[in-house]
Amino acid sequence: MEERGLKIFAPEGEPKMDDKVFFNEEMLENRDLSLIAAKAFFEKIDIEDPNIGDPLTGTGIRGLRYSELGDIYLNDANPNAVESVKEALKENDVEASVENKDANVFLSGKPGFFHFIDVDPYGPFTPFLDSTARAANYNSFVGLTATDNSAPTGSYPTVCERRYGSKPLKNGFMHETALRIYIKEAFEKFARYDKCFAPKFCYQFKHYTRVMGRVTESKKRTNKALENIGYLSYCDECGWRKLKRVQECEHCGGEVEHAGPLWIGKIADSRFTEKMLEKTPEEWESSKDILEKVHAESEILTPFYDLHELASRHDVPVPKRDKVIQALDEKGYPVSRTHFGPTGIRTDAPLEDILEIMES
Ligand SMILES: C[S@@+](CC[C@H](N)C(=O)[O-])C[C@H]1O[C@@H](n2cnc3c(N)ncnc32)[C@H](O)[C@@H]1O
Ligand SMILES: [Zn+2]
């Protein structure tokens, strides 16, 4: 099997957790965007021969893809995976260190060592977050994948409270709430080690969420960034929402629900995503599409609106998304599409203005 010209050894077809070696073709965009983000980071930071860790490597594909950037350290607890990694390294003529340990043991043995760590587990990344925070250099980049989205999107609120210490909300923008809970979790865990985790490019796609950020040593910066941890408010009567804890809906005066604690800052840094866009090959279309949308919406903070949901709630015909975007733009409001869904928009415009446009 091949990905972007690199040979790997994995079973064909739908991936299963009891496969000899796990590989999911559906994660192509995750791997493309992680490579591009790492390139953007290393261009800015310029570390000679950076150490890159892939503690849950499976076939070794991530390490292979990052091998152009630095020294590669691969690990997997499954001895079959390690065998297929070694085969792939030989086949692609790539050198790397390969270990067969529990990921926490692998990371704990290398405190402060890695300049980029890619944590890509089954389910949540939380079991590996402490050891990742310790193994991350004071000047590094970290990528975290989570596939336990049903908990922070509100299907299992108790699991979410237990695992993330946050209350989720199951509504039209639940995937954004989940992303913000994941970012909060990463930020707080790194903060305990006096490391500042600054989200650079975070998104939700298919069945997973990906959080990528820069790690620096700065107690002052971490203290300042604490202001990005908070709550969001949502009115189930009218669909109004805000990234702030308030007691009353600012649109209809109704009661509001809260989700959090979660990250109330930006989910991406537009200067960083701009650099990433410059590095993205035209032919990586699906990956570029995600990146362009995240870039466009990164400066707008209000959680996105799903226009179908808003139309049905207010009993108005479903409007054309581009028409709503154009009208809000003409009124001078920040507005964009959103990567969270094809029928969504992101805008800081007041709800009454959005509804007025939808009704016109
Ligand atoms: C989702 S797969 C990794 C996929 C791979 N990163 C990719 O992009 O194709 C998770 C991998 O973690 C390994 N794994 C699961 N728990 C582990 C642990 N505690 N320590 C080390 N490896 C583990 C599994 O054997 C599996 O290969
Ligand atoms: Zn309301």
Side-chain angles (χ1 to χ4, degrees):
M1 195 182 284
E2 277 197 14
E3 179 172 285
R4 303 287 188 216
L6 291 159
K7 289 200 181 66
I8 47 167
F9 297 91
E12 300 277 347
E14 190 80 4
K16 293 184 287 308
M17 271 174 69
D18 58 0
D19 277 344
K20 216 170 149 209
V21 179
F22 186 90
F23 179 71
N24 190 352
E25 285 177 90
E26 290 280 304
M27 293 295 232
L28 171 70
E29 293 85 0
N30 182 321
R31 289 183 285 265
D32 281 353
L33 292 165
S34 302
L35 173 62
I36 297 162
K39 279 188 182 174
F41 171 71
F42 286 125
E43 183 180 88
K44 187 168 162 57
I45 301 308
D46 193 23
I47 302 161
E48 208 178 314
D49 296 328
N51 299 323
I52 299 173
D54 181 3
L56 301 126
T57 194
T59 59
I61 182 62
R62 287 176 192 253
L64 289 171
R65 296 198 63 184
Y66 303 144
S67 61
E68 60 179 288
L69 303 177
D71 295 339
I72 306 299
Y73 295 80
L74 308 177
N75 177 73
D76 202 287
N78 173 4
N80 294 322
V82 168
E83 280 319 303
S84 88
V85 170
K86 286 182 178 161
E87 250 185 288
L89 289 170
K90 211 159 115 195
E91 189 70 25
N92 294 288
D93 198 18
V94 168
E95 278 186 30
S97 153
V98 188
E99 294 183 53
N100 181 206
K101 293 179 177 160
D102 179 89
N104 283 319
V105 175
F106 167 79
L107 290 166
S108 297
K110 299 171 174 58
F113 179 71
F114 289 115
H115 302 99
F116 175 34
I117 307 177
D118 190 334
V119 180
D120 184 48
Y122 303 130
F125 54 71
T126 43
F128 308 104
L129 208 44
D130 269 295
S131 57
T132 300
R134 288 194 299 267
N137 189 267
Y138 282 120
N139 201 1
S140 62
F141 197 69
V142 167
L144 307 159
T145 308
T147 61
D148 66 333
N149 292 354
S150 55
T153 52
S155 290
Y156 301 102
T158 313
V159 177
C160 185
E161 295 252 8
R162 186 187 73 226
R163 204 170 273 164
Y164 300 100
S166 296
K167 180 181 175 293
L169 272 183
K170 194 168 167 61
N171 60 20
F173 62 92
M174 60 194 179
H175 286 289
E176 178 166 346
T177 303
L179 176 59
R180 292 180 176 281
I181 288 173
Y182 286 129
I183 301 174
K184 181 251 6 167
E185 191 59 22
F187 173 82
E188 285 188 341
K189 195 61 82 180
F190 278 80
R192 289 194 184 109
Y193 295 93
D194 289 336
K195 290 175 178 172
C196 186
F197 178 87
K200 291 288 168 186
F201 175 57
C202 307
Y203 65 97
Q204 184 270 325
F205 188 57
K206 294 178 181 167
H207 66 294
Y208 69 89
T209 301
R210 182 78 166 156
V211 172
M212 303 197 82
R214 182 177 173 189
V215 178
T216 48
E217 181 190 26
S218 172
K219 289 180 193 156
K220 216 168 132 193
R221 197 175 300 138
T222 314
N223 290 349
K224 172 95 181 67
L226 280 172
E227 67 193 30
N228 290 311
I229 304 296
Y231 289 80
L232 66 79
S233 305
Y234 171 66
C235 174
D236 198 32
E237 284 299 311
C238 68
W240 176 87
R241 72 272 328 254
K242 193 172 195 168
L243 277 182
K244 191 175 177 189
R245 178 148 54 183
V246 298
Q247 295 311 323
E248 195 175 87
C249 171
E250 291 176 9
H251 179 73
C252 75
E255 248 182 65
V256 292
E257 301 171 273
H258 299 116
L262 41 70
W263 182 260
I264 56 170
K266 293 176 189 171
I267 60 168
D269 171 346
S270 58
R271 277 176 307 178
F272 188 80
T273 45
E274 195 167 338
K275 281 263 158 290
M276 284 179 67
L277 276 168
E278 285 166 17
K279 300 186 179 315
T280 309
E282 279 303 318
E283 60 276 21
W284 293 10
E285 281 172 24
S286 51
S287 301
K288 191 158 185 263
D289 185 58
I290 302 169
L291 179 55
E292 279 173 343
K293 287 183 182 140
V294 174
H295 176 67
E297 68 185 307
S298 60
E299 297 294 322
I300 306 171
L301 278 174
T302 305
F304 80 92
Y305 294 89
D306 182 88
L307 291 176
H308 284 213
E309 196 220 327
L310 210 53
S312 117
R313 184 188 293 276
H314 290 273
D315 207 16
V316 294
V318 176
K320 285 225 160 27
R321 183 186 61 174
D322 290 347
K323 203 185 118 217
V324 178
I325 290 180
Q326 192 188 340
L328 286 168
D329 184 51
E330 281 165 8
K331 281 188 163 221
Y333 291 119
V335 59
S336 76
R337 297 178 296 165
T338 173
H339 82 281
F340 284 106
T343 56
I345 63 161
R346 185 184 288 281
T347 181
D348 285 335
L351 183 55
E352 47 268 34
D353 288 53
I354 304 171
L355 293 173
E356 195 184 293
I357 288 165
M358 287 171 72
E359 282 158 8
S360 66

